[in-house]
Amino acid sequence: MNIEDVIKACGPLPQAPQSGPGSNKKNNLVYIGAILLVGGIGYVIYREWKRKKDLDKK
């Protein structure tokens, strides 16, 4: 059974809708930027918490 027989039996595969050029890349950059921002804020809070905890030990 080859691919032509499968296409005849099942019909063509549905195609995914094409988005505008560059719109998906912009959305990805927004998501990546938001993740980095949240991660950076979390790191700063953790660093300050750890510094305060270390100062309290002394």
Side-chain angles (χ1 to χ4, degrees):
M1 187 175 232
N2 59 21
I3 193 70
E4 288 84 17
D5 294 336
V6 173
I7 292 173
K8 286 178 186 175
C10 300
L13 294 174
Q15 298 295 319
Q18 298 294 323
S19 62
S23 64
N24 197 18
K25 289 181 181 179
K26 289 179 184 176
N27 287 340
N28 287 344
L29 289 177
V30 169
Y31 293 139
I32 291 170
I35 290 169
L36 290 176
L37 181 64
V38 169
I41 291 171
Y43 174 73
V44 168
I45 292 171
Y46 169 76
R47 190 179 62 191
E48 290 297 315
W49 171 77
K50 185 158 177 61
R51 184 182 64 83
K52 184 178 178 186
K53 187 177 174 184
D54 289 343
L55 288 176
D56 290 343
K57 285 184 180 179
K58 293 181 181 181

Tab-separated table of all heavy atoms in Angstrom:
chain	number	residue	atom	x	y	z
A	1	MET	N	0.859	-1.178	0.000
A	1	MET	CA	0.000	0.000	0.000
A	1	MET	C	0.900	1.235	0.000
A	1	MET	O	1.744	1.383	0.870
A	1	MET	CB	-0.883	-0.036	1.251
A	1	MET	CG	-1.928	1.047	1.291
A	1	MET	SD	-2.997	0.820	2.714
A	1	MET	CE	-4.551	0.870	1.932
A	2	ASN	N	0.720	2.083	-0.971
A	2	ASN	CA	1.541	3.285	-1.036
A	2	ASN	C	0.722	4.506	-0.638
A	2	ASN	O	-0.474	4.427	-0.361
A	2	ASN	CB	2.181	3.438	-2.429
A	2	ASN	CG	1.139	3.521	-3.522
A	2	ASN	OD1	-0.013	3.841	-3.264
A	2	ASN	ND2	1.542	3.232	-4.750
A	3	ILE	N	1.344	5.634	-0.616
A	3	ILE	CA	0.725	6.857	-0.109
A	3	ILE	C	-0.433	7.318	-0.991
A	3	ILE	O	-1.422	7.862	-0.473
A	3	ILE	CB	1.777	7.980	0.067
A	3	ILE	CG1	1.217	9.152	0.888
A	3	ILE	CG2	2.307	8.471	-1.249
A	3	ILE	CD1	1.001	8.829	2.309
A	4	GLU	N	-0.355	7.071	-2.300
A	4	GLU	CA	-1.446	7.470	-3.188
A	4	GLU	C	-2.728	6.694	-2.861
A	4	GLU	O	-3.824	7.250	-2.897
A	4	GLU	CB	-1.068	7.285	-4.661
A	4	GLU	CG	-0.054	8.284	-5.186
A	4	GLU	CD	1.378	7.869	-4.888
A	4	GLU	OE1	1.621	6.680	-4.563
A	4	GLU	OE2	2.252	8.739	-4.969
A	5	ASP	N	-2.583	5.407	-2.542
A	5	ASP	CA	-3.746	4.593	-2.170
A	5	ASP	C	-4.366	5.102	-0.865
A	5	ASP	O	-5.587	5.129	-0.719
A	5	ASP	CB	-3.349	3.124	-2.013
A	5	ASP	CG	-2.905	2.505	-3.333
A	5	ASP	OD1	-3.317	3.024	-4.397
A	5	ASP	OD2	-2.148	1.523	-3.291
A	6	VAL	N	-3.539	5.482	0.067
A	6	VAL	CA	-4.030	6.002	1.347
A	6	VAL	C	-4.780	7.309	1.126
A	6	VAL	O	-5.858	7.528	1.697
A	6	VAL	CB	-2.863	6.185	2.342
A	6	VAL	CG1	-3.328	6.874	3.614
A	6	VAL	CG2	-2.223	4.846	2.675
A	7	ILE	N	-4.256	8.183	0.289
A	7	ILE	CA	-4.914	9.455	0.009
A	7	ILE	C	-6.250	9.223	-0.689
A	7	ILE	O	-7.252	9.875	-0.380
A	7	ILE	CB	-3.994	10.383	-0.811
A	7	ILE	CG1	-2.803	10.815	0.042
A	7	ILE	CG2	-4.741	11.597	-1.333
A	7	ILE	CD1	-1.741	11.597	-0.690
A	8	LYS	N	-6.294	8.258	-1.624
A	8	LYS	CA	-7.557	7.949	-2.301
A	8	LYS	C	-8.595	7.396	-1.322
A	8	LYS	O	-9.769	7.728	-1.399
A	8	LYS	CB	-7.324	6.939	-3.412
A	8	LYS	CG	-6.652	7.521	-4.628
A	8	LYS	CD	-6.422	6.443	-5.668
A	8	LYS	CE	-5.627	6.967	-6.839
A	8	LYS	NZ	-5.299	5.917	-7.812
A	9	ALA	N	-8.157	6.568	-0.382
A	9	ALA	CA	-9.082	5.942	0.563
A	9	ALA	C	-9.549	6.913	1.645
A	9	ALA	O	-10.721	6.955	1.993
A	9	ALA	CB	-8.416	4.728	1.204
A	10	CYS	N	-8.632	7.694	2.201
A	10	CYS	CA	-8.953	8.554	3.350
A	10	CYS	C	-9.209	9.998	2.970
A	10	CYS	O	-9.750	10.757	3.773
A	10	CYS	CB	-7.812	8.510	4.360
A	10	CYS	SG	-7.497	6.860	4.991
A	11	GLY	N	-8.773	10.408	1.832
A	11	GLY	CA	-8.889	11.807	1.440
A	11	GLY	C	-7.641	12.576	1.858
A	11	GLY	O	-6.801	12.086	2.607
A	12	PRO	N	-7.507	13.789	1.369
A	12	PRO	CA	-6.313	14.556	1.716
A	12	PRO	C	-6.326	14.975	3.188
A	12	PRO	O	-7.375	15.105	3.810
A	12	PRO	CB	-6.393	15.781	0.804
A	12	PRO	CG	-7.834	15.912	0.473
A	12	PRO	CD	-8.394	14.520	0.487
A	13	LEU	N	-5.140	15.152	3.725
A	13	LEU	CA	-5.012	15.587	5.116
A	13	LEU	C	-5.427	17.052	5.244
A	13	LEU	O	-5.129	17.862	4.362
A	13	LEU	CB	-3.567	15.433	5.588
A	13	LEU	CG	-3.035	14.013	5.677
A	13	LEU	CD1	-1.553	14.034	6.008
A	13	LEU	CD2	-3.801	13.239	6.728
A	14	PRO	N	-6.101	17.419	6.328
A	14	PRO	CA	-6.444	18.826	6.519
A	14	PRO	C	-5.181	19.650	6.788
A	14	PRO	O	-4.274	19.194	7.483
A	14	PRO	CB	-7.363	18.817	7.734
A	14	PRO	CG	-7.066	17.545	8.437
A	14	PRO	CD	-6.608	16.569	7.397
A	15	GLN	N	-5.141	20.832	6.231
A	15	GLN	CA	-3.978	21.688	6.383
A	15	GLN	C	-4.201	22.674	7.527
A	15	GLN	O	-5.300	23.181	7.723
A	15	GLN	CB	-3.710	22.456	5.080
A	15	GLN	CG	-3.399	21.569	3.897
A	15	GLN	CD	-2.098	20.805	4.089
A	15	GLN	OE1	-1.121	21.341	4.584
A	15	GLN	NE2	-2.109	19.537	3.705
A	16	ALA	N	-3.154	22.964	8.270
A	16	ALA	CA	-3.241	23.940	9.353
A	16	ALA	C	-3.356	25.336	8.749
A	16	ALA	O	-2.746	25.629	7.715
A	16	ALA	CB	-2.003	23.863	10.221
A	17	PRO	N	-4.158	26.211	9.350
A	17	PRO	CA	-4.273	27.573	8.815
A	17	PRO	C	-2.954	28.325	8.952
A	17	PRO	O	-2.249	28.191	9.956
A	17	PRO	CB	-5.364	28.210	9.678
A	17	PRO	CG	-5.404	27.395	10.911
A	17	PRO	CD	-4.969	26.014	10.543
A	18	GLN	N	-2.642	29.078	7.930
A	18	GLN	CA	-1.405	29.853	7.928
A	18	GLN	C	-1.654	31.215	8.554
A	18	GLN	O	-2.608	31.901	8.207
A	18	GLN	CB	-0.898	30.029	6.490
A	18	GLN	CG	-0.568	28.731	5.794
A	18	GLN	CD	0.600	28.010	6.421
A	18	GLN	OE1	1.551	28.640	6.863
A	18	GLN	NE2	0.516	26.697	6.493
A	19	SER	N	-0.811	31.603	9.485
A	19	SER	CA	-0.946	32.922	10.104
A	19	SER	C	-0.146	33.939	9.297
A	19	SER	O	0.637	33.581	8.421
A	19	SER	CB	-0.450	32.885	11.547
A	19	SER	OG	0.917	32.552	11.575
A	20	GLY	N	-0.331	35.197	9.638
A	20	GLY	CA	0.390	36.256	8.936
A	20	GLY	C	1.883	36.162	9.173
A	20	GLY	O	2.334	35.567	10.147
A	21	PRO	N	2.679	36.721	8.281
A	21	PRO	CA	4.128	36.623	8.440
A	21	PRO	C	4.617	37.387	9.669
A	21	PRO	O	4.281	38.542	9.884
A	21	PRO	CB	4.677	37.242	7.154
A	21	PRO	CG	3.584	38.116	6.674
A	21	PRO	CD	2.303	37.481	7.119
A	22	GLY	N	5.372	36.703	10.522
A	22	GLY	CA	5.985	37.350	11.677
A	22	GLY	C	5.105	37.453	12.906
A	22	GLY	O	5.583	37.793	13.969
A	23	SER	N	3.825	37.164	12.808
A	23	SER	CA	2.959	37.323	13.977
A	23	SER	C	3.266	36.279	15.038
A	23	SER	O	3.228	36.563	16.222
A	23	SER	CB	1.495	37.261	13.570
A	23	SER	OG	1.194	35.984	13.054
A	24	ASN	N	3.584	35.068	14.622
A	24	ASN	CA	3.902	34.014	15.586
A	24	ASN	C	5.223	34.303	16.279
A	24	ASN	O	5.373	34.045	17.468
A	24	ASN	CB	3.939	32.671	14.875
A	24	ASN	CG	3.849	31.514	15.841
A	24	ASN	OD1	3.430	31.685	16.985
A	24	ASN	ND2	4.264	30.343	15.395
A	25	LYS	N	6.188	34.849	15.560
A	25	LYS	CA	7.477	35.173	16.162
A	25	LYS	C	7.319	36.264	17.211
A	25	LYS	O	7.944	36.222	18.262
A	25	LYS	CB	8.469	35.620	15.094
A	25	LYS	CG	8.925	34.500	14.193
A	25	LYS	CD	9.915	34.986	13.169
A	25	LYS	CE	10.353	33.867	12.257
A	25	LYS	NZ	11.288	34.313	11.244
A	26	LYS	N	6.458	37.242	16.942
A	26	LYS	CA	6.244	38.311	17.909
A	26	LYS	C	5.609	37.765	19.173
A	26	LYS	O	5.988	38.153	20.281
A	26	LYS	CB	5.373	39.408	17.310
A	26	LYS	CG	6.065	40.223	16.244
A	26	LYS	CD	5.147	41.273	15.661
A	26	LYS	CE	5.828	42.007	14.528
A	26	LYS	NZ	4.924	42.958	13.885
A	27	ASN	N	4.643	36.857	19.028
A	27	ASN	CA	4.007	36.258	20.203
A	27	ASN	C	5.015	35.457	21.009
A	27	ASN	O	5.001	35.509	22.233
A	27	ASN	CB	2.851	35.358	19.779
A	27	ASN	CG	1.651	36.147	19.303
A	27	ASN	OD1	1.521	37.324	19.608
A	27	ASN	ND2	0.790	35.488	18.561
A	28	ASN	N	5.880	34.720	20.327
A	28	ASN	CA	6.893	33.945	21.033
A	28	ASN	C	7.838	34.858	21.789
A	28	ASN	O	8.231	34.542	22.914
A	28	ASN	CB	7.670	33.067	20.060
A	28	ASN	CG	6.851	31.891	19.571
A	28	ASN	OD1	5.830	31.550	20.159
A	28	ASN	ND2	7.291	31.288	18.482
A	29	LEU	N	8.217	35.969	21.198
A	29	LEU	CA	9.115	36.897	21.891
A	29	LEU	C	8.458	37.492	23.127
A	29	LEU	O	9.113	37.680	24.150
A	29	LEU	CB	9.563	38.015	20.936
A	29	LEU	CG	10.529	37.609	19.836
A	29	LEU	CD1	10.831	38.795	18.921
A	29	LEU	CD2	11.819	37.077	20.440
A	30	VAL	N	7.163	37.768	23.048
A	30	VAL	CA	6.453	38.293	24.217
A	30	VAL	C	6.450	37.246	25.322
A	30	VAL	O	6.711	37.568	26.484
A	30	VAL	CB	5.013	38.695	23.831
A	30	VAL	CG1	4.175	38.975	25.057
A	30	VAL	CG2	5.026	39.902	22.912
A	31	TYR	N	6.163	35.992	24.993
A	31	TYR	CA	6.147	34.930	25.998
A	31	TYR	C	7.534	34.717	26.605
A	31	TYR	O	7.672	34.577	27.823
A	31	TYR	CB	5.644	33.620	25.404
A	31	TYR	CG	4.187	33.657	25.013
A	31	TYR	CD1	3.746	33.069	23.847
A	31	TYR	CD2	3.239	34.282	25.816
A	31	TYR	CE1	2.416	33.094	23.480
A	31	TYR	CE2	1.899	34.320	25.460
A	31	TYR	CZ	1.498	33.722	24.295
A	31	TYR	OH	0.183	33.748	23.942
A	32	ILE	N	8.553	34.699	25.775
A	32	ILE	CA	9.916	34.505	26.272
A	32	ILE	C	10.308	35.665	27.169
A	32	ILE	O	10.908	35.473	28.235
A	32	ILE	CB	10.898	34.329	25.094
A	32	ILE	CG1	10.638	32.995	24.407
A	32	ILE	CG2	12.337	34.423	25.559
A	32	ILE	CD1	11.385	32.818	23.099
A	33	GLY	N	9.984	36.889	26.769
A	33	GLY	CA	10.285	38.053	27.595
A	33	GLY	C	9.576	38.009	28.933
A	33	GLY	O	10.167	38.331	29.970
A	34	ALA	N	8.322	37.587	28.948
A	34	ALA	CA	7.569	37.499	30.203
A	34	ALA	C	8.172	36.435	31.118
A	34	ALA	O	8.302	36.658	32.327
A	34	ALA	CB	6.107	37.183	29.918
A	35	ILE	N	8.564	35.313	30.549
A	35	ILE	CA	9.175	34.246	31.356
A	35	ILE	C	10.495	34.714	31.950
A	35	ILE	O	10.780	34.488	33.131
A	35	ILE	CB	9.355	32.974	30.512
A	35	ILE	CG1	7.989	32.358	30.211
A	35	ILE	CG2	10.260	31.963	31.195
A	35	ILE	CD1	8.015	31.256	29.184
A	36	LEU	N	11.315	35.389	31.149
A	36	LEU	CA	12.589	35.886	31.659
A	36	LEU	C	12.382	36.944	32.734
A	36	LEU	O	13.124	36.981	33.720
A	36	LEU	CB	13.430	36.450	30.508
A	36	LEU	CG	13.978	35.417	29.525
A	36	LEU	CD1	14.701	36.110	28.384
A	36	LEU	CD2	14.905	34.453	30.235
A	37	LEU	N	11.385	37.797	32.564
A	37	LEU	CA	11.097	38.836	33.559
A	37	LEU	C	10.669	38.209	34.884
A	37	LEU	O	11.182	38.578	35.944
A	37	LEU	CB	10.019	39.776	33.039
A	37	LEU	CG	9.629	40.929	33.950
A	37	LEU	CD1	10.804	41.869	34.141
A	37	LEU	CD2	8.448	41.678	33.374
A	38	VAL	N	9.758	37.263	34.832
A	38	VAL	CA	9.302	36.600	36.055
A	38	VAL	C	10.454	35.833	36.706
A	38	VAL	O	10.630	35.871	37.929
A	38	VAL	CB	8.112	35.663	35.746
A	38	VAL	CG1	7.782	34.772	36.924
A	38	VAL	CG2	6.900	36.486	35.355
A	39	GLY	N	11.250	35.155	35.898
A	39	GLY	CA	12.405	34.435	36.432
A	39	GLY	C	13.421	35.367	37.068
A	39	GLY	O	13.963	35.073	38.130
A	40	GLY	N	13.656	36.508	36.447
A	40	GLY	CA	14.598	37.482	37.005
A	40	GLY	C	14.111	38.067	38.318
A	40	GLY	O	14.878	38.202	39.275
A	41	ILE	N	12.830	38.387	38.382
A	41	ILE	CA	12.266	38.925	39.626
A	41	ILE	C	12.331	37.862	40.725
A	41	ILE	O	12.682	38.166	41.871
A	41	ILE	CB	10.822	39.417	39.394
A	41	ILE	CG1	10.838	40.658	38.506
A	41	ILE	CG2	10.128	39.713	40.710
A	41	ILE	CD1	9.474	41.099	38.038
A	42	GLY	N	12.014	36.630	40.385
A	42	GLY	CA	12.100	35.539	41.354
A	42	GLY	C	13.516	35.338	41.853
A	42	GLY	O	13.744	35.105	43.042
A	43	TYR	N	14.488	35.449	40.972
A	43	TYR	CA	15.886	35.287	41.371
A	43	TYR	C	16.317	36.398	42.324
A	43	TYR	O	16.995	36.145	43.318
A	43	TYR	CB	16.789	35.261	40.141
A	43	TYR	CG	18.257	35.236	40.493
A	43	TYR	CD1	18.833	34.094	41.008
A	43	TYR	CD2	19.049	36.367	40.326
A	43	TYR	CE1	20.174	34.061	41.354
A	43	TYR	CE2	20.390	36.349	40.674
A	43	TYR	CZ	20.946	35.197	41.186
A	43	TYR	OH	22.259	35.179	41.539
A	44	VAL	N	15.917	37.635	42.040
A	44	VAL	CA	16.278	38.758	42.912
A	44	VAL	C	15.653	38.576	44.289
A	44	VAL	O	16.314	38.790	45.319
A	44	VAL	CB	15.852	40.104	42.272
A	44	VAL	CG1	15.946	41.242	43.259
A	44	VAL	CG2	16.698	40.384	41.044
A	45	ILE	N	14.391	38.162	44.322
A	45	ILE	CA	13.733	37.934	45.614
A	45	ILE	C	14.431	36.817	46.368
A	45	ILE	O	14.693	36.937	47.575
A	45	ILE	CB	12.237	37.616	45.403
A	45	ILE	CG1	11.514	38.861	44.894
A	45	ILE	CG2	11.602	37.095	46.680
A	45	ILE	CD1	10.094	38.609	44.448
A	46	TYR	N	14.782	35.740	45.719
A	46	TYR	CA	15.479	34.626	46.358
A	46	TYR	C	16.838	35.065	46.883
A	46	TYR	O	17.218	34.718	48.009
A	46	TYR	CB	15.639	33.469	45.373
A	46	TYR	CG	16.578	32.399	45.858
A	46	TYR	CD1	16.169	31.492	46.825
A	46	TYR	CD2	17.874	32.301	45.365
A	46	TYR	CE1	17.032	30.508	47.283
A	46	TYR	CE2	18.735	31.324	45.817
A	46	TYR	CZ	18.316	30.428	46.786
A	46	TYR	OH	19.172	29.463	47.242
A	47	ARG	N	17.562	35.828	46.083
A	47	ARG	CA	18.896	36.276	46.499
A	47	ARG	C	18.821	37.157	47.737
A	47	ARG	O	19.610	37.004	48.674
A	47	ARG	CB	19.556	37.032	45.335
A	47	ARG	CG	21.017	37.335	45.578
A	47	ARG	CD	21.606	38.048	44.410
A	47	ARG	NE	20.908	39.337	44.254
A	47	ARG	CZ	21.026	40.124	43.213
A	47	ARG	NH1	21.782	39.768	42.209
A	47	ARG	NH2	20.386	41.262	43.153
A	48	GLU	N	17.862	38.072	47.764
A	48	GLU	CA	17.705	38.944	48.933
A	48	GLU	C	17.265	38.150	50.155
A	48	GLU	O	17.737	38.395	51.261
A	48	GLU	CB	16.695	40.057	48.639
A	48	GLU	CG	17.215	41.086	47.655
A	48	GLU	CD	18.431	41.820	48.193
A	48	GLU	OE1	18.411	42.226	49.379
A	48	GLU	OE2	19.399	41.985	47.440
A	49	TRP	N	16.386	37.177	49.977
A	49	TRP	CA	15.935	36.347	51.084
A	49	TRP	C	17.102	35.548	51.656
A	49	TRP	O	17.269	35.436	52.864
A	49	TRP	CB	14.822	35.418	50.598
A	49	TRP	CG	14.436	34.367	51.588
A	49	TRP	CD1	13.668	34.525	52.695
A	49	TRP	CD2	14.815	32.989	51.559
A	49	TRP	NE1	13.534	33.336	53.351
A	49	TRP	CE2	14.231	32.375	52.668
A	49	TRP	CE3	15.585	32.225	50.679
A	49	TRP	CZ2	14.403	31.020	52.938
A	49	TRP	CZ3	15.745	30.880	50.952
A	49	TRP	CH2	15.155	30.302	52.075
A	50	LYS	N	17.934	34.988	50.757
A	50	LYS	CA	19.082	34.199	51.204
A	50	LYS	C	20.096	35.081	51.908
A	50	LYS	O	20.662	34.687	52.925
A	50	LYS	CB	19.718	33.492	50.010
A	50	LYS	CG	20.834	32.557	50.392
A	50	LYS	CD	21.056	31.530	49.322
A	50	LYS	CE	22.199	30.611	49.625
A	50	LYS	NZ	22.017	29.852	50.833
A	51	ARG	N	20.316	36.299	51.405
A	51	ARG	CA	21.269	37.215	52.040
A	51	ARG	C	20.787	37.582	53.438
A	51	ARG	O	21.556	37.577	54.395
A	51	ARG	CB	21.425	38.483	51.201
A	51	ARG	CG	22.465	39.451	51.730
A	51	ARG	CD	22.523	40.699	50.876
A	51	ARG	NE	21.274	41.439	50.918
A	51	ARG	CZ	20.939	42.310	51.887
A	51	ARG	NH1	21.746	42.524	52.890
A	51	ARG	NH2	19.782	42.951	51.840
A	52	LYS	N	19.503	37.866	53.569
A	52	LYS	CA	18.952	38.213	54.878
A	52	LYS	C	19.049	37.032	55.833
A	52	LYS	O	19.368	37.203	57.005
A	52	LYS	CB	17.501	38.659	54.724
A	52	LYS	CG	16.884	39.129	56.008
A	52	LYS	CD	15.444	39.608	55.801
A	52	LYS	CE	14.862	40.026	57.118
A	52	LYS	NZ	13.461	40.361	57.010
A	53	LYS	N	18.797	35.835	55.330
A	53	LYS	CA	18.879	34.628	56.158
A	53	LYS	C	20.315	34.405	56.628
A	53	LYS	O	20.538	34.044	57.791
A	53	LYS	CB	18.369	33.441	55.354
A	53	LYS	CG	18.239	32.160	56.141
A	53	LYS	CD	17.653	31.077	55.258
A	53	LYS	CE	17.644	29.755	55.974
A	53	LYS	NZ	17.181	28.662	55.128
A	54	ASP	N	21.280	34.639	55.750
A	54	ASP	CA	22.693	34.468	56.123
A	54	ASP	C	23.118	35.521	57.144
A	54	ASP	O	23.915	35.235	58.038
A	54	ASP	CB	23.583	34.538	54.883
A	54	ASP	CG	23.428	33.300	53.995
A	54	ASP	OD1	22.905	32.280	54.492
A	54	ASP	OD2	23.830	33.374	52.817
A	55	LEU	N	22.621	36.750	57.021
A	55	LEU	CA	22.948	37.790	57.983
A	55	LEU	C	22.358	37.477	59.365
A	55	LEU	O	22.958	37.799	60.390
A	55	LEU	CB	22.452	39.151	57.500
A	55	LEU	CG	23.216	39.771	56.341
A	55	LEU	CD1	22.542	41.073	55.902
A	55	LEU	CD2	24.668	40.041	56.709
A	56	ASP	N	21.179	36.872	59.381
A	56	ASP	CA	20.558	36.522	60.655
A	56	ASP	C	21.314	35.427	61.389
A	56	ASP	O	21.269	35.349	62.605
A	56	ASP	CB	19.101	36.072	60.427
A	56	ASP	CG	18.198	37.199	60.011
A	56	ASP	OD1	18.592	38.375	60.211
A	56	ASP	OD2	17.099	36.921	59.468
A	57	LYS	N	22.035	34.577	60.649
A	57	LYS	CA	22.807	33.506	61.274
A	57	LYS	C	24.006	34.049	62.027
A	57	LYS	O	24.460	33.463	62.980
A	57	LYS	CB	23.294	32.501	60.221
A	57	LYS	CG	22.199	31.586	59.715
A	57	LYS	CD	22.794	30.572	58.744
A	57	LYS	CE	21.738	29.636	58.227
A	57	LYS	NZ	22.305	28.676	57.280
A	58	LYS	N	24.558	35.176	61.580
A	58	LYS	CA	25.785	35.706	62.189
A	58	LYS	C	25.540	36.422	63.459
A	58	LYS	O	24.610	36.831	63.920
A	58	LYS	CB	26.498	36.629	61.206
A	58	LYS	CG	27.026	35.882	60.017
A	58	LYS	CD	27.744	36.791	59.068
A	58	LYS	CE	28.236	36.000	57.880
A	58	LYS	NZ	28.953	36.810	56.946
